[in-house]
């Protein structure tokens, strides 16, 4: 067992327990059927950090995600992700990409929103841009709910949702993810 630990490093469970302790969060052992998760509570926010797996038929891909339901009466939506090899073509064909005025951020990321002024205001926060930029693969968005097989949200409640490919086992990076976000201070009354 010590040989495996030297080869692969500490387990996800060890790292996530350490993170829970450092940020005063709760580590939830999911047992055999459910995945483990970390839940941090700050004011009216409950931030849940977990992993999930998507099968593509011949292979499976594991994602780390951070989710936080919040009251969003105006229905504000946005998505931020890194530019890829086809982003230029998509922009030429009319895909939305809001520029926020930070040259390096605008060069590296696609920003979409239903409210350009509000997303610019959100991303005017240098700390949020820095936290996003530190993630090598990222999709940061506001979702309506968890979909057919997930939690359904009440009217006016949405989810701040972050996902990245792979299992994150870097405590500093996990801590950065838990610090992202801003919204109303009203409880959404949703459990993940």
């Amino acid at each position: 067992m010590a040989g495996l630990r030297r080869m692969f490093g500490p387990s996800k469970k060890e790292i996530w327990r350490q993170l829970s302790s450092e940020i005063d969060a709760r580590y939830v052992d999911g047992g055999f059927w459910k995945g483990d998760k970390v839940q941090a509570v700050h004011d009216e926010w409950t931030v849940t950090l977990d992993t999930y797996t998507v099968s593509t038929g011949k292979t499976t891909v594991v994602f780390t995600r951070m989710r936080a339901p919040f009251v969003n009466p105006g229905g504000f939506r946005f998505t931020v992700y890194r530019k890829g090899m086809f982003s230029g073509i998509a922009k030429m064909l009319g895909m939305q990409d809001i520029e926020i005025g930070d040259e390096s951020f605008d060069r590296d990321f696609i920003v979409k929103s239903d409210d350009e002024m509000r997303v610019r205001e959100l991303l005017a926060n240098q700390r949020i841009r820095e936290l996003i930029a530190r993630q090598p693969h990222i999709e940061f968005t506001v979702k309506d709910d968890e979909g057919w097989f997930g939690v359904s949200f009440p009217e006016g409640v949405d989810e701040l949702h972050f996902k990245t490919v792979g299992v994150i086992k870097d405590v500093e990076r996990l801590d950065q993810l838990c610090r992202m976000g801003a919204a109303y201070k009203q409880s959404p009354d949703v459990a993940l």
Side-chain angles (χ1 to χ4, degrees):
M1 194 66 129
L4 289 176
R5 184 168 166 61
R6 273 194 303 273
M7 195 178 330
F8 296 110
S11 70
K12 176 185 119 181
K13 185 175 283 205
E14 289 175 276
I15 296 296
W16 286 31
R17 282 183 188 270
Q18 178 185 343
L19 172 70
S20 297
S21 173
E22 289 179 10
I23 66 171
D24 196 27
R26 185 170 62 109
Y27 178 82
V28 180
D29 190 333
F32 184 74
W33 295 107
K34 292 184 176 183
D36 300 350
K37 60 186 171 184
V38 173
Q39 290 192 309
V41 177
H42 178 73
D43 294 331
E44 299 301 327
W45 285 80
T46 299
V47 178
T48 301
L49 183 71
D50 63 2
T51 59
Y52 70 101
T53 304
V54 174
S55 175
T56 62
K58 295 184 181 202
T59 187
T60 58
V61 179
V62 178
F63 293 89
T64 297
R65 67 182 169 185
M66 180 216 49
R67 303 171 292 155
F70 70 102
V71 175
N72 187 13
F76 174 52
R77 297 278 187 273
F78 71 87
T79 299
V80 178
Y81 58 91
R82 282 200 178 273
K83 288 185 177 175
M85 60 194 303
F86 298 111
S87 298
I89 295 168
K91 282 178 65 172
M92 285 184 353
L93 295 173
M95 178 188 76
Q96 181 186 37
D97 181 19
I98 299 168
E99 294 191 357
I100 59 149
D102 178 318
E103 187 178 324
S104 63
F105 194 88
D106 290 336
R107 179 191 65 233
D108 295 340
F109 292 93
I110 298 290
V111 178
K112 298 178 181 182
S113 180
D114 62 348
D115 188 331
E116 288 188 31
M117 190 174 80
R118 283 183 73 186
V119 80
R120 282 190 180 112
E121 184 180 316
L122 172 70
L123 296 173
N125 183 315
Q126 183 177 349
R127 181 73 177 136
I128 291 175
R129 288 193 319 273
E130 287 172 359
L131 290 169
I132 291 170
R134 288 183 183 171
Q135 308 310 314
H137 305 284
I138 182 172
E139 181 181 305
F140 187 46
T141 189
V142 172
K143 294 174 68 172
D144 188 27
D145 62 29
E146 297 268 313
W148 288 43
F149 300 107
V151 178
S152 187
F153 299 153
E155 188 69 32
V157 174
D158 293 316
E159 177 180 77
L160 189 62
H161 188 272
F162 158 87
K163 77 175 180 182
T164 189
V165 175
V167 176
I168 300 175
K169 295 196 303 183
D170 174 354
V171 173
E172 182 180 330
R173 186 170 168 209
L174 288 167
D175 185 51
Q176 292 168 2
L177 296 179
C178 291
R179 296 183 190 286
M180 283 185 184
Y184 295 96
K185 290 200 174 225
Q186 182 181 348
S187 175
D189 294 323
V190 173
L192 299 178

Short mmCIF file of all heavy atoms in Angstrom, two decimals, residues 15 25 29 31 51 56 89 91 118 146 174 190:
data_model
loop_
_atom_site.label_atom_id
_atom_site.label_comp_id
_atom_site.label_asym_id
_atom_site.label_seq_id
_atom_site.Cartn_x
_atom_site.Cartn_y
_atom_site.Cartn_z
N ILE A 15 -7.07 13.94 0.66
CA ILE A 15 -6.94 15.36 0.30
C ILE A 15 -8.23 16.11 0.61
O ILE A 15 -8.21 17.21 1.16
CB ILE A 15 -6.56 15.52 -1.19
CG1 ILE A 15 -5.19 14.93 -1.44
CG2 ILE A 15 -6.64 16.97 -1.63
CD1 ILE A 15 -4.05 15.62 -0.73
N ALA A 25 -15.22 22.91 6.66
CA ALA A 25 -16.34 22.33 5.91
C ALA A 25 -16.61 20.92 6.43
O ALA A 25 -15.91 20.42 7.30
CB ALA A 25 -16.00 22.30 4.43
N ASP A 29 -18.87 11.16 3.56
CA ASP A 29 -18.46 9.89 2.96
C ASP A 29 -19.69 9.28 2.28
O ASP A 29 -20.67 8.96 2.94
CB ASP A 29 -17.92 8.95 4.03
CG ASP A 29 -17.26 7.71 3.45
OD1 ASP A 29 -17.65 7.29 2.33
OD2 ASP A 29 -16.37 7.16 4.11
N GLY A 31 -20.05 6.44 0.82
CA GLY A 31 -20.20 4.99 0.86
C GLY A 31 -20.04 4.38 -0.51
O GLY A 31 -19.42 4.94 -1.40
N THR A 51 -17.35 14.73 -7.30
CA THR A 51 -16.96 14.25 -8.63
C THR A 51 -18.12 13.47 -9.23
O THR A 51 -18.99 12.99 -8.50
CB THR A 51 -15.71 13.34 -8.58
OG1 THR A 51 -15.99 12.22 -7.75
CG2 THR A 51 -14.49 14.08 -8.08
N THR A 56 -18.83 7.67 -22.26
CA THR A 56 -18.96 8.03 -23.68
C THR A 56 -19.11 6.80 -24.54
O THR A 56 -18.94 6.86 -25.75
CB THR A 56 -17.73 8.85 -24.13
OG1 THR A 56 -16.57 8.04 -23.98
CG2 THR A 56 -17.59 10.13 -23.35
N ILE A 89 -13.49 29.90 -35.29
CA ILE A 89 -14.47 29.59 -36.33
C ILE A 89 -15.88 29.85 -35.81
O ILE A 89 -16.71 30.44 -36.50
CB ILE A 89 -14.33 28.12 -36.80
CG1 ILE A 89 -12.97 27.94 -37.47
CG2 ILE A 89 -15.45 27.73 -37.74
CD1 ILE A 89 -12.60 26.49 -37.72
N LYS A 91 -16.83 31.92 -33.50
CA LYS A 91 -17.05 33.37 -33.41
C LYS A 91 -17.34 33.96 -34.78
O LYS A 91 -18.21 34.82 -34.93
CB LYS A 91 -15.85 34.06 -32.76
CG LYS A 91 -15.80 33.90 -31.26
CD LYS A 91 -14.59 34.54 -30.64
CE LYS A 91 -14.59 36.02 -30.80
NZ LYS A 91 -13.52 36.69 -30.06
N ARG A 118 -24.08 42.85 -16.48
CA ARG A 118 -23.90 42.12 -15.22
C ARG A 118 -22.71 41.17 -15.27
O ARG A 118 -21.99 41.01 -14.29
CB ARG A 118 -25.18 41.35 -14.86
CG ARG A 118 -26.23 42.27 -14.28
CD ARG A 118 -27.47 41.54 -13.86
NE ARG A 118 -27.24 40.76 -12.65
CZ ARG A 118 -28.13 39.95 -12.12
NH1 ARG A 118 -29.30 39.78 -12.72
NH2 ARG A 118 -27.86 39.28 -11.03
N GLU A 146 -30.50 20.68 -12.06
CA GLU A 146 -29.58 19.56 -12.26
C GLU A 146 -29.98 18.63 -13.41
O GLU A 146 -29.32 17.63 -13.63
CB GLU A 146 -29.49 18.74 -10.97
CG GLU A 146 -28.93 19.52 -9.81
CD GLU A 146 -27.45 19.36 -9.69
OE1 GLU A 146 -26.94 18.24 -9.76
OE2 GLU A 146 -26.78 20.39 -9.54
N LEU A 174 -8.26 23.29 -4.88
CA LEU A 174 -9.60 23.06 -4.35
C LEU A 174 -10.06 24.24 -3.51
O LEU A 174 -11.21 24.68 -3.60
CB LEU A 174 -9.63 21.78 -3.50
CG LEU A 174 -9.53 20.47 -4.27
CD1 LEU A 174 -9.23 19.33 -3.32
CD2 LEU A 174 -10.79 20.21 -5.07
N VAL A 190 -32.34 24.46 -0.98
CA VAL A 190 -32.08 23.31 -1.85
C VAL A 190 -30.93 22.52 -1.27
O VAL A 190 -29.93 23.08 -0.86
CB VAL A 190 -31.72 23.77 -3.28
CG1 VAL A 190 -31.29 22.60 -4.13
CG2 VAL A 190 -32.88 24.51 -3.93
#
